[in-house]
């Protein structure tokens, strides 16, 4: 378990994924990429967690307490405490005439 802080950068040990923490919960969490805890050396990519990450995209958990920005893409999927993170929906800009 790790206490995440805003601005922190974390690398995956199973692929090239690197993320920056935009917002984090107050509690300690287990952040994984490819099914392996991030920042803890190497491991093997879990095929069930291999949907990949996309540079420049934000990933959030269900309640929105955790938001990560992908700064380097990779093959692993992000999860926190076993819950897969989803892409954050972008806000629609108002139309201008």
């Amino acid at each position: 378990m790790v206490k995440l802080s805003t601005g922190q950068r974390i690398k995956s040990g199973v692929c090239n994924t690197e993320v920056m923490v935009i917002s984090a919960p107050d509690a300690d969490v287990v952040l994984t990429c490819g099914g392996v805890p991030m920042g803890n050396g190497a491991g093997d990519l879990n095929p069930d967690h291999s949907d990949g990450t996309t540079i420049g995209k934000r990933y959030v958990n269900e309640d929105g307490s955790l938001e990560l920005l992908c700064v380097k893409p990779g093959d692993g999927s992000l999860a926190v405490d076993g819950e897969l993170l989803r892409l954050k929906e972008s806000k629609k800009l108002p139309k201008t005439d």
Side-chain angles (χ1 to χ4, degrees), residues 12-17 19 30-38 44-54 59 68 70 73-80 82-87:
S12 170
V14 297
C15 67
N16 293 328
T17 298
V19 296
V30 177
L31 179 63
T32 61
C33 182
V36 176
M38 291 187 75
D44 293 323
L45 184 68
N46 182 334
D48 295 333
H49 294 263
S50 61
D51 289 335
T53 54
T54 305
Y59 294 85
L68 304 172
C70 179
D75 296 329
S77 298
L78 298 168
V80 64
E83 171 194 347
L84 285 174
L85 300 182
R86 60 180 172 79
L87 276 174

